[in-house]
């Protein structure tokens, strides 16, 4: 990667402004036998979907409308393969909100076999490194970055979201129609063994006997809305985002099937040590983010792999006195839950007041069920000046509830 220009680093999930409307996204990795990495971009509307198949820019369709995005064939440089997409946000057509830049690897073992993966965005003589790069395992597709125009500012967001599927899955997620191969002719049915009609199989009962709306795409929930259910995937990513200007900290409470609560956090509480990783990655905090003047938003991420012994996960946003407090209303705290398969549910703290002395917010709860991932908006707040953590309680029916200010006192950092 080029190192001869001013360079800043952008953490995963964070965004920052670009000094110019045009530039390029440059992604590199080491060469490897049997690896076939390809760059693809999508010109998407506010719902995260293309207007038509013409908004997919890749090797077979290298130019976006009005010259807004341009695919460049990969080049080999000193043992590395370099991929480039040039963009001009001043040329983005009406109805398009952002350009999503992605990678796919469908030929070999996916991105577990790709080493030295790095990315940067170059614009106006500056370079923005998209870091850190997570370790990928079974993923065959990655949404690397987004470039977009927001409030008259040209911006970039570091994404690094992995998908188990490759190009077909990414295309479908962004609304591109993929032609499926014709199905082979079905064999003739066997002769009936009885003239009596068998009853249809019973549908599985919804979790807890309650029917939830199954959702896909981008969904916004607020306090008072009914819970929704989304497809369960191998990796669920819960991200808490807020406006820059204060230093919130994020942690997660985990309820296990034996009725125990586990706190996953980068800092401790009275009688509870700091433990950012539970169950060998079953619930994992990706690291504390310090307030940055270079980014207009901050994000901390908790990765969730819903094993059968995990009943529920509750992400918590906390503003410690020692960090310099800030209200949840003024800094627009929100929780995003993404299954990496095209569904993203956002819960915003719309009902918060401007009281700087309220330190803890629980936007919602994530429940693990056989039918899928149930997401319920809660938007609960601690008592004024309380530094105590919430506590989880599991009833005799397996239902998990959140009790505010009932846990141990956080340790100041």
């Amino acid at each position: 990667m080029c190192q001869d220009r001013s360079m800043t680093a952008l953490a995963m999930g964070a965004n920052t402004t670009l000094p110019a409307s045009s530039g390029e996204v440059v992604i590199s990795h080491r060469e490897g036998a049997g690896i076939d990495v390809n760059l693809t971009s999508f010109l998407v509307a506010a719902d995260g979907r293309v207007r038509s198949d013409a908004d997919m820019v890749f090797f077979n369709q290298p130019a976006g409308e009005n010259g807004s995005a341009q695919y460049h064939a990969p080049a080999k440089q000193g043992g590395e393969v370099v991929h480039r997409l040039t963009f001009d946000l001043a040329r983005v057509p009406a109805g398009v909100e952002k350009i999503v830049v992605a990678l796919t690897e469908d030929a070999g073992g996916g991105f577990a076999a790709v080493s030295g993966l790095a990315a940067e965005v170059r614009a106006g003589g500056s370079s923005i490194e998209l870091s850190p790069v997570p370790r990928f395992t079974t993923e065959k597709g990655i949404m690397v970055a987004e470039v977009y125009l927001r409030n008259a500012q040209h911006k970039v967001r570091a994404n690094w979201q992995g998908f188990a599927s490759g190009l077909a899955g990414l295309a479908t997620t962004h609304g591109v129609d993929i032609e499926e191969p014709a199905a082979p002719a079905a064999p003739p049915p066997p002769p009936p063994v009885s003239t009596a009609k068998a009853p249809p199989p019973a549908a599985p009962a919804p979790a807890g006997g309650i029917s939830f709306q199954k959702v896909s795409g981008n969904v916004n929930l607020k306090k008072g809305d009914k819970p929704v259910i989304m497809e369960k995937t191998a990796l669920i990513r819960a991200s808490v985002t807020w406006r820059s200007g204060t230093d919130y900290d994020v942690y997660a409470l985990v309820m296990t099937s034996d009725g125990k609560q586990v706190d996953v956090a980068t800092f401790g509480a009275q009688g509870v040590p700091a433990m950012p990783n539970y169950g060998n990655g079953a619930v994992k905090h990706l690291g504390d983010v310090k307030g940055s003047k270079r980014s207009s938003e901050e994000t901390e991420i908790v990765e969730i792999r819903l094993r059968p012994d995990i009943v529920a996960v509750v992400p918590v946003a906390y503003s410690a006195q020692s960090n310099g407090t800030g209200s949840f209303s003024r800094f627009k705290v929100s929780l995003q839950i993404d299954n990496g398969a095209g569904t993203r549910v956002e819960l915003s703290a719309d009902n918060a007041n401007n009281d700087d002395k309220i330190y803890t917010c629980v936007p919602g709860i994530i429940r693990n069920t056989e039918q899928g991932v149930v997401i319920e908006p809660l938007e609960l707040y601690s008592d004024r000046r309380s530094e105590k953590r919430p506590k989880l309680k599991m009833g005799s029916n397996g239902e998990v509830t959140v009790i505010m200010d009932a846990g141990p006192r956080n340790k100041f950092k």
Side-chain angles (χ1 to χ4, degrees):
M1 304 290 282
C2 180
Q3 300 293 332
D4 59 353
R5 57 183 72 208
S6 65
M7 174 78 78
T8 58
L10 190 64
M12 183 170 62
N15 71 80
T16 191
T17 55
L18 295 170
S21 63
S22 61
E24 61 179 349
V25 180
V26 183
I27 307 171
S28 64
H29 59 85
R30 296 191 187 97
E31 292 185 62
I35 294 174
D36 184 19
V37 175
N38 289 283
L39 183 148
T40 303
S41 68
F42 303 91
L43 280 61
V44 301
D47 62 356
R49 299 170 68 84
V50 298
R51 301 168 304 164
S52 72
D53 292 358
D55 285 341
M56 178 177 172
V57 179
F58 64 122
F59 57 87
N60 272 345
Q61 191 168 264
E65 185 177 339
N66 297 340
S68 54
Q70 178 69 49
Y71 167 89
H72 298 268
K76 295 184 179 181
Q77 298 178 3
E80 287 190 332
V81 181
V82 180
H83 306 263
R84 293 174 57 239
L85 180 93
T86 52
F87 62 87
D88 190 344
L89 294 174
R91 294 176 175 268
V92 168
V96 170
E97 183 176 272
K98 61 187 175 183
I99 301 172
V100 178
V101 184
L103 294 179
T104 59
E105 204 296 308
D106 286 309
F111 284 95
V114 179
S115 60
L117 192 60
E120 64 181 272
V121 177
R122 302 170 181 172
S126 298
S127 282
I128 300 166
E129 179 186 4
L130 308 184
S131 63
V133 181
R135 177 179 295 176
F136 295 103
T137 53
T138 60
E139 294 87 347
K140 293 196 172 186
I142 305 171
M143 286 169 53
V144 178
E146 303 169 355
V147 290
Y148 56 98
L149 182 66
R150 181 76 49 83
N151 297 326
Q153 291 184 314
H154 305 105
K155 307 192 76 172
V156 57
R157 182 187 298 277
N159 199 313
W160 292 117
Q161 179 184 351
F163 286 73
S165 54
L167 180 59
L170 276 171
T172 302
T173 295
H174 291 95
V176 179
D177 291 330
I178 299 296
E179 293 185 3
E180 298 290 345
V193 296
S194 172
T195 58
K197 292 184 178 180
I210 302 173
S211 178
F212 299 117
Q213 178 189 1
K214 190 168 185 178
V215 295
S216 60
N218 294 329
V219 179
N220 292 311
L221 295 180
K222 60 183 183 298
K223 186 173 184 177
D225 287 344
K226 293 181 178 180
V228 298
I229 188 167
M230 71 179 183
E231 177 189 357
K232 188 190 303 185
T233 56
L235 173 62
I236 305 293
R237 193 169 271 172
S239 307
V240 178
T241 300
W242 64 93
R243 288 180 180 174
S244 294
T246 190
D247 183 17
Y248 288 129
D249 293 289
V250 175
Y251 59 95
L253 308 178
V254 182
M255 177 58 73
T256 63
S257 56
D258 58 2
K260 294 181 179 179
Q261 176 179 315
V262 179
D263 292 22
V264 178
T266 59
F267 60 101
Q270 288 181 343
V272 179
M275 186 179 71
N277 188 342
Y278 164 66
N280 195 27
V283 181
K284 181 180 180 181
H285 195 297
L286 294 190
D288 183 30
V289 174
K290 304 295 184 182
S292 170
K293 295 182 179 179
R294 296 194 301 266
S295 176
S296 60
E297 286 184 350
E298 308 294 342
T299 301
E300 290 192 11
I301 300 172
V302 176
E303 289 186 343
I304 305 168
R305 294 166 175 84
L306 287 172
R307 307 184 315 195
D309 62 302
I310 295 176
V311 177
V313 179
V314 177
V316 183
Y318 168 63
S319 177
Q321 287 180 347
S322 56
N323 286 345
T325 58
S327 78
F328 292 103
S329 174
R330 187 163 66 255
F331 290 99
K332 302 299 181 185
V333 172
S334 64
L335 168 65
Q336 302 88 37
I337 301 143
D338 199 317
N339 70 354
T343 303
R344 182 175 180 269
V345 178
E346 180 168 355
L347 291 73
S348 298
D350 292 337
N351 296 290
N353 61 32
N354 286 316
D355 192 339
D356 286 344
K357 303 303 181 183
I358 294 177
Y359 304 139
T360 302
C361 173
V362 175
I365 183 170
I366 303 166
R367 305 181 193 275
N368 184 17
T369 78
E370 292 183 359
Q371 289 73 39
V373 182
V374 174
I375 301 166
E376 180 181 356
L378 297 178
E379 197 176 343
L380 302 175
Y381 296 95
S382 61
D383 290 338
R384 198 168 188 269
R385 296 183 181 274
S386 173
E387 291 281 352
K388 291 184 176 181
R389 290 186 179 181
K391 185 177 181 180
L392 303 186
K393 181 180 180 181
M394 186 162 68
S396 57
N397 61 351
E399 186 76 6
V400 177
T401 55
V402 181
I403 306 173
M404 299 301 293
D405 308 299
R409 181 186 176 91
N410 284 306
K411 292 182 178 179
F412 291 162
K413 298 193 301 174

